Amino acid sequence: MNQPQHCLGKVYLVGAGPGDPGLLTIKGKTLLEFADVVIYDALVSPQILDLINPQAEKIHAGKRRGRHSLLQEETTQLLIEKAQTHAVVVRLKGGDPFIFGRGGEEMEDLIQAGIPVEVVPGITSGIAAPAYAGIPLTHRDHSSSVTFVTGHETAGKYRPSVNWEALAKGSETIVIYMGVHNLPYIIQQLTEAGQSPETPVALIRWGTRPDQEELIGTLETIVQKVEETGFEAPAIAVIGSVVNFKSRLNL
């Protein structure tokens, strides 16, 4: 990308958190209140969007499976253009910008274009959703390791970037983002690598929001439960014995 000749403003990559507006950072809230332009994703909750400066220009750039409002390249180019004419440009992303949010790609492109960038972290749904469901991702007696991984891969992909066999053997708790669509494939990979079919699984939809839903099962039963209940994305999957705390804490 060509470096702009004039740059008035700065782009802030702000994590909106998982949905509950109370989990938005104070710094993130302040930037929304003073922003000139806010380019936001699909999973940002309406309550957080209500915090945006009423005079700010608001642009929806959300991405959901099969429905893209803007291409990634278009979003980045828009950020560059807006920073040339506005002082405070906020790129508002669900969760945390650097956890499966393509924030690193956007930051890289902005820096190459000569645009000042600042990152404001947010609470990622992979931590918050299990916590709201009463599932501790680590526990001294049950799990000393946790792995965050994307499930947004296609079965039969030429070179899968996720080594499910290594995860099955090396991590006591696995948290999968965007994994509902490929859940049968993921479970097949984990069980073939030696994970017990009795391993507990929790699917958590709309984590931290008032309409949060959970579906509990095992590697052997969860796909059938998804089909029977019509459980859909967006959801986080938690795999490991820590899922059993859901019933113990009676939440």
Side-chain angles (χ1 to χ4, degrees), residues 133-134 244-251:
N244 289 329
F245 279 88
K246 169 67 179 172
S247 59
R248 293 183 196 179
L249 296 177
N250 198 29
L251 292 177

Side-chain angles (χ1 to χ4, degrees), residues 130-131 133-139 143 173 238 241-246 249:
I135 300 172
L137 297 184
T138 64
H139 188 286
S143 176
T173 303
V238 183
S241 63
V242 292
V243 171
N244 289 329
F245 279 88
K246 169 67 179 172
L249 296 177

Side-chain angles (χ1 to χ4, degrees), residues 191 195-201 217-221 239-241 244:
T191 53
Q195 279 268 25
S196 168
E198 299 301 315
T199 303
V201 179
T218 65
L219 288 177
E220 185 174 35
T221 65
I239 300 175
S241 63
N244 289 329

Side-chain angles (χ1 to χ4, degrees), residues 54-197:
Q55 281 73 51
E57 181 182 2
K58 306 176 190 66
I59 303 171
H60 179 257
K63 298 177 180 63
R64 295 290 297 279
R65 182 177 178 84
R67 302 191 302 275
H68 289 190
S69 295
L70 290 176
L71 297 175
Q72 185 63 43
E73 295 78 8
E74 294 173 337
T75 299
T76 304
Q77 186 58 43
L78 188 60
L79 288 169
I80 293 171
E81 292 172 0
K82 294 300 181 182
Q84 295 177 53
T85 55
H86 297 80
V88 180
V89 179
V90 171
R91 176 70 172 103
L92 187 61
K93 307 176 77 68
D96 179 88
F98 282 178
I99 303 295
F100 304 120
R102 304 192 74 168
E105 298 171 43
E106 293 178 355
M107 180 183 69
E108 184 178 21
D109 289 342
L110 289 165
I111 291 173
Q112 289 179 353
I115 305 296
V117 185
E118 182 175 334
V119 180
V120 180
I123 298 176
T124 181
S125 58
I127 292 175
Y132 271 54
I135 300 172
L137 297 184
T138 64
H139 188 286
R140 188 171 59 178
D141 298 326
H142 295 272
S143 176
S144 297
S145 61
V146 58
T147 300
F148 298 94
V149 60
T150 177
H152 191 54
E153 288 195 321
T154 302
K157 182 179 176 182
Y158 165 63
R159 184 180 293 176
S161 57
V162 176
N163 188 334
W164 294 106
E165 180 178 1
L167 291 180
K169 296 177 179 178
S171 186
E172 294 165 299
T173 303
I174 303 174
V175 179
I176 304 172
Y177 291 68
M178 303 169 287
V180 172
H181 178 75
N182 284 333
L183 196 59
Y185 168 75
I186 292 168
I187 289 175
Q188 178 186 357
Q189 295 298 304
L190 293 174
T191 53
E192 288 181 355
Q195 279 268 25
S196 168

